[in-house]
Amino acid sequence: MKTMALQWYPGHMNKAKNQVQDRLKLVDIVLEIVDARLPFSSRNPVLEQIIDQKKHIIILNKSDLADPKVTADWKLNFEQEGTKSIELDAKHNKGLGKIKSLIRSELSDKIDRYERNGVQNYRIKAMCIGIPNVGKSTILNRFVGKNVAITGNKPGVTKNQNWLKTNIGIDLLDTPGILWPKIDDPKVGMKLALSGAIKDKIYAPDDVAIYALNFMETHYMDQLLESYKLDKSDIFNHTTPEVLMNLTKKFGYKDDYDRASRRIIDDVRKLKLGRLTFDIPGEFYEE
């Protein structure tokens, strides 16, 4: 598999990274939003280093798109590493109520101290971070109860950092989606492209589609066969590029492999291939 040569680190992302670092001292806790389909690959290692000493919670958003069994495995994995996590389907407003309880639990010592000292109406200050297209703006809108953050199914929508008030005693600092300048593992680049975290025009769709098919052959064979009405012989007797070529003809696209590739990517994103998780605990550290 060839490395994807992707250029995606515009000036506003570098500026936002510096602002996150500067404003970290203003908040009590960090809410790190990740894509539940990519609990490892959608974590920005640059931001992880910045927030290392700050209390933080990992929010596994888009849980409705992810494999529920693997999501449970990831929650256990993060727990063993000493980080609390919670699954969320912000689009359909499922799981949001549990976040407040988890935030208060993580900050119980500080809250108790304020209450003992007679501080009233103390508002918790939380910073929301995450890479593009993990649904951060949707979460913020759900928290606030109205559309205060611009949402979209493409990366790079939020450009500024803003304080947002909620009616549950929490002030939220919104930050732009921030990617990191270089991805060392090409598989991570494939997964980010597949999820829509990077712009479609800067990668080769056939590379991403072949990666998706190959991954499904290994982890979700039954879903692949059922979704595209294939037999096992259609998979086992062919290389993955040949499977893509055969699907292109099956779709009626003749030799338009790019069109077929874009359809496969779109099918993954729209749940037409079922609920999928592309990061498996234990596998992401492998070479």
Side-chain angles (χ1 to χ4, degrees), residues 28-31 51-57 106-107 109:
D28 303 306
I29 195 167
V30 175
L31 306 180
I51 67 172
D52 184 46
Q53 301 303 316
K54 201 78 176 182
K55 281 187 177 292
H56 87 285
I57 295 169
E106 287 295 283
L107 297 174
D109 290 345

Side-chain angles (χ1 to χ4, degrees), residues 65-79:
L65 305 180
D67 183 331
K69 181 182 182 303
V70 184
T71 298
D73 292 341
W74 272 108
K75 290 175 67 178
L76 178 60
N77 182 86
F78 290 134
E79 182 80 28

